[in-house]
Amino acid sequence: VGKSTLSDFLVEYVLGRKIAMKSGSHPLVSGYNKSLMGKLLVVFEELPTFSKSEWEGVSAQLKEMITGTMYNYNDKYEKMITCPNLNNYIINTNVSAIQHNEGRRYCILDLSNVHKQDHVYFHALRQTCFNNAVGEAFFCFMNEIDLHGFYSQNLPETKAKNEAIINRLDSSYV
């Protein structure tokens, strides 16, 4: 469905690789997360489905990463560094990798399947829009949006979010 299209555009043409990055699950499970330091946007691409016990550790890690104002960054053979947490996260995944996703911490978006497997459409989109001029125009447009009264914890109600909540309910409630 092209779920990575927007995040690819944001990383490459709107923010740039100095302050945005794509990553796998390594920084979540290894403890070596210094590559995330100073990034405004981190895109986790295709998180695996974790076991229940693995998810408990990853979930605690994500909670701290999402809500903490300061964060500890670590790398092999280096001393831990505590810095302001600038990170914002996007998680792109095809599977139900995010457990306990009732919508308190995660904004689960509805995606259209209209262009699923439409390689011609996505190729044309990338050829037309994936460039610095469109990235700069998008950046300028986003800066013009009035955020007065915006509250980041007021996540939208989506069909996907409601389905996630239903999937987590005990069968006696369904």
PDB file of all heavy atoms in Angstrom, residues 120-132:
ATOM      1  N   VAL A 120       3.568   1.138 -10.981  1.00  0.00           N
ATOM      2  CA  VAL A 120       3.598   2.264 -11.920  1.00  0.00           C
ATOM      3  C   VAL A 120       3.233   3.557 -11.185  1.00  0.00           C
ATOM      4  O   VAL A 120       3.894   4.585 -11.346  1.00  0.00           O
ATOM      5  CB  VAL A 120       2.646   2.008 -13.118  1.00  0.00           C
ATOM      6  CG1 VAL A 120       2.534   3.241 -13.998  1.00  0.00           C
ATOM      7  CG2 VAL A 120       3.110   0.802 -13.918  1.00  0.00           C
ATOM      8  N   TYR A 121       2.179   3.505 -10.379  1.00  0.00           N
ATOM      9  CA  TYR A 121       1.739   4.681  -9.622  1.00  0.00           C
ATOM     10  C   TYR A 121       2.844   5.178  -8.682  1.00  0.00           C
ATOM     11  O   TYR A 121       3.170   6.365  -8.680  1.00  0.00           O
ATOM     12  CB  TYR A 121       0.479   4.351  -8.816  1.00  0.00           C
ATOM     13  CG  TYR A 121       0.084   5.427  -7.838  1.00  0.00           C
ATOM     14  CD1 TYR A 121      -0.636   6.544  -8.259  1.00  0.00           C
ATOM     15  CD2 TYR A 121       0.456   5.344  -6.495  1.00  0.00           C
ATOM     16  CE1 TYR A 121      -0.994   7.547  -7.372  1.00  0.00           C
ATOM     17  CE2 TYR A 121       0.106   6.345  -5.596  1.00  0.00           C
ATOM     18  CZ  TYR A 121      -0.610   7.442  -6.036  1.00  0.00           C
ATOM     19  OH  TYR A 121      -0.950   8.428  -5.153  1.00  0.00           O
ATOM     20  N   PHE A 122       3.413   4.269  -7.891  1.00  0.00           N
ATOM     21  CA  PHE A 122       4.427   4.693  -6.921  1.00  0.00           C
ATOM     22  C   PHE A 122       5.712   5.132  -7.607  1.00  0.00           C
ATOM     23  O   PHE A 122       6.382   6.047  -7.137  1.00  0.00           O
ATOM     24  CB  PHE A 122       4.680   3.595  -5.875  1.00  0.00           C
ATOM     25  CG  PHE A 122       3.560   3.497  -4.887  1.00  0.00           C
ATOM     26  CD1 PHE A 122       2.670   2.440  -4.918  1.00  0.00           C
ATOM     27  CD2 PHE A 122       3.369   4.493  -3.938  1.00  0.00           C
ATOM     28  CE1 PHE A 122       1.616   2.364  -4.011  1.00  0.00           C
ATOM     29  CE2 PHE A 122       2.327   4.428  -3.028  1.00  0.00           C
ATOM     30  CZ  PHE A 122       1.447   3.361  -3.066  1.00  0.00           C
ATOM     31  N   HIS A 123       6.049   4.522  -8.726  1.00  0.00           N
ATOM     32  CA  HIS A 123       7.226   4.967  -9.476  1.00  0.00           C
ATOM     33  C   HIS A 123       7.004   6.400  -9.985  1.00  0.00           C
ATOM     34  O   HIS A 123       7.886   7.258  -9.848  1.00  0.00           O
ATOM     35  CB  HIS A 123       7.519   4.025 -10.641  1.00  0.00           C
ATOM     36  CG  HIS A 123       8.667   4.455 -11.472  1.00  0.00           C
ATOM     37  ND1 HIS A 123       9.985   4.336 -11.048  1.00  0.00           N
ATOM     38  CD2 HIS A 123       8.718   5.047 -12.700  1.00  0.00           C
ATOM     39  CE1 HIS A 123      10.785   4.831 -11.971  1.00  0.00           C
ATOM     40  NE2 HIS A 123      10.039   5.261 -12.989  1.00  0.00           N
ATOM     41  N   ALA A 124       5.808   6.660 -10.537  1.00  0.00           N
ATOM     42  CA  ALA A 124       5.502   8.006 -11.049  1.00  0.00           C
ATOM     43  C   ALA A 124       5.479   9.020  -9.904  1.00  0.00           C
ATOM     44  O   ALA A 124       5.973  10.144 -10.059  1.00  0.00           O
ATOM     45  CB  ALA A 124       4.156   7.998 -11.781  1.00  0.00           C
ATOM     46  N   LEU A 125       4.921   8.638  -8.761  1.00  0.00           N
ATOM     47  CA  LEU A 125       4.890   9.526  -7.594  1.00  0.00           C
ATOM     48  C   LEU A 125       6.304   9.894  -7.162  1.00  0.00           C
ATOM     49  O   LEU A 125       6.616  11.064  -6.928  1.00  0.00           O
ATOM     50  CB  LEU A 125       4.134   8.854  -6.445  1.00  0.00           C
ATOM     51  CG  LEU A 125       3.990   9.656  -5.163  1.00  0.00           C
ATOM     52  CD1 LEU A 125       3.072  10.847  -5.381  1.00  0.00           C
ATOM     53  CD2 LEU A 125       3.436   8.767  -4.059  1.00  0.00           C
ATOM     54  N   ARG A 126       7.152   8.900  -7.081  1.00  0.00           N
ATOM     55  CA  ARG A 126       8.537   9.155  -6.672  1.00  0.00           C
ATOM     56  C   ARG A 126       9.284   9.976  -7.723  1.00  0.00           C
ATOM     57  O   ARG A 126      10.046  10.875  -7.371  1.00  0.00           O
ATOM     58  CB  ARG A 126       9.258   7.843  -6.373  1.00  0.00           C
ATOM     59  CG  ARG A 126       8.774   7.210  -5.074  1.00  0.00           C
ATOM     60  CD  ARG A 126       9.411   5.837  -4.827  1.00  0.00           C
ATOM     61  NE  ARG A 126       8.924   5.269  -3.596  1.00  0.00           N
ATOM     62  CZ  ARG A 126       9.549   5.348  -2.418  1.00  0.00           C
ATOM     63  NH1 ARG A 126      10.697   5.993  -2.338  1.00  0.00           N
ATOM     64  NH2 ARG A 126       9.033   4.797  -1.332  1.00  0.00           N
ATOM     65  N   GLN A 127       9.073   9.692  -8.995  1.00  0.00           N
ATOM     66  CA  GLN A 127       9.741  10.449 -10.054  1.00  0.00           C
ATOM     67  C   GLN A 127       9.309  11.914 -10.048  1.00  0.00           C
ATOM     68  O   GLN A 127      10.109  12.800 -10.304  1.00  0.00           O
ATOM     69  CB  GLN A 127       9.434   9.833 -11.428  1.00  0.00           C
ATOM     70  CG  GLN A 127      10.130   8.523 -11.679  1.00  0.00           C
ATOM     71  CD  GLN A 127      11.628   8.681 -11.770  1.00  0.00           C
ATOM     72  OE1 GLN A 127      12.347   8.239 -10.885  1.00  0.00           O
ATOM     73  NE2 GLN A 127      12.109   9.297 -12.821  1.00  0.00           N
ATOM     74  N   THR A 128       8.044  12.162  -9.739  1.00  0.00           N
ATOM     75  CA  THR A 128       7.499  13.512  -9.796  1.00  0.00           C
ATOM     76  C   THR A 128       7.779  14.310  -8.521  1.00  0.00           C
ATOM     77  O   THR A 128       8.124  15.485  -8.588  1.00  0.00           O
ATOM     78  CB  THR A 128       5.965  13.455 -10.029  1.00  0.00           C
ATOM     79  OG1 THR A 128       5.715  12.708 -11.210  1.00  0.00           O
ATOM     80  CG2 THR A 128       5.373  14.841 -10.166  1.00  0.00           C
ATOM     81  N   CYS A 129       7.608  13.679  -7.372  1.00  0.00           N
ATOM     82  CA  CYS A 129       7.609  14.419  -6.104  1.00  0.00           C
ATOM     83  C   CYS A 129       8.854  14.250  -5.244  1.00  0.00           C
ATOM     84  O   CYS A 129       9.069  15.037  -4.326  1.00  0.00           O
ATOM     85  CB  CYS A 129       6.390  14.013  -5.271  1.00  0.00           C
ATOM     86  SG  CYS A 129       4.821  14.395  -6.066  1.00  0.00           S
ATOM     87  N   PHE A 130       9.644  13.248  -5.495  1.00  0.00           N
ATOM     88  CA  PHE A 130      10.799  13.008  -4.642  1.00  0.00           C
ATOM     89  C   PHE A 130      11.985  13.814  -5.152  1.00  0.00           C
ATOM     90  O   PHE A 130      12.853  13.312  -5.863  1.00  0.00           O
ATOM     91  CB  PHE A 130      11.128  11.518  -4.586  1.00  0.00           C
ATOM     92  CG  PHE A 130      10.290  10.745  -3.606  1.00  0.00           C
ATOM     93  CD1 PHE A 130       8.924  10.915  -3.539  1.00  0.00           C
ATOM     94  CD2 PHE A 130      10.879   9.844  -2.740  1.00  0.00           C
ATOM     95  CE1 PHE A 130       8.142  10.220  -2.641  1.00  0.00           C
ATOM     96  CE2 PHE A 130      10.113   9.138  -1.833  1.00  0.00           C
ATOM     97  CZ  PHE A 130       8.745   9.329  -1.778  1.00  0.00           C
ATOM     98  N   ASN A 131      11.991  15.104  -4.777  1.00  0.00           N
ATOM     99  CA  ASN A 131      13.092  15.990  -5.133  1.00  0.00           C
ATOM    100  C   ASN A 131      13.147  17.123  -4.106  1.00  0.00           C
ATOM    101  O   ASN A 131      12.220  17.297  -3.310  1.00  0.00           O
ATOM    102  CB  ASN A 131      12.939  16.520  -6.564  1.00  0.00           C
ATOM    103  CG  ASN A 131      11.658  17.277  -6.776  1.00  0.00           C
ATOM    104  OD1 ASN A 131      11.426  18.319  -6.146  1.00  0.00           O
ATOM    105  ND2 ASN A 131      10.802  16.767  -7.662  1.00  0.00           N
ATOM    106  N   ASN A 132      14.216  17.874  -4.132  1.00  0.00           N
ATOM    107  CA  ASN A 132      14.418  18.929  -3.130  1.00  0.00           C
ATOM    108  C   ASN A 132      13.397  20.058  -3.242  1.00  0.00           C
ATOM    109  O   ASN A 132      12.992  20.630  -2.234  1.00  0.00           O
ATOM    110  CB  ASN A 132      15.839  19.478  -3.220  1.00  0.00           C
ATOM    111  CG  ASN A 132      16.857  18.469  -2.753  1.00  0.00           C
ATOM    112  OD1 ASN A 132      16.576  17.645  -1.889  1.00  0.00           O
ATOM    113  ND2 ASN A 132      18.045  18.512  -3.334  1.00  0.00           N
TER     114      ASN A 132
END
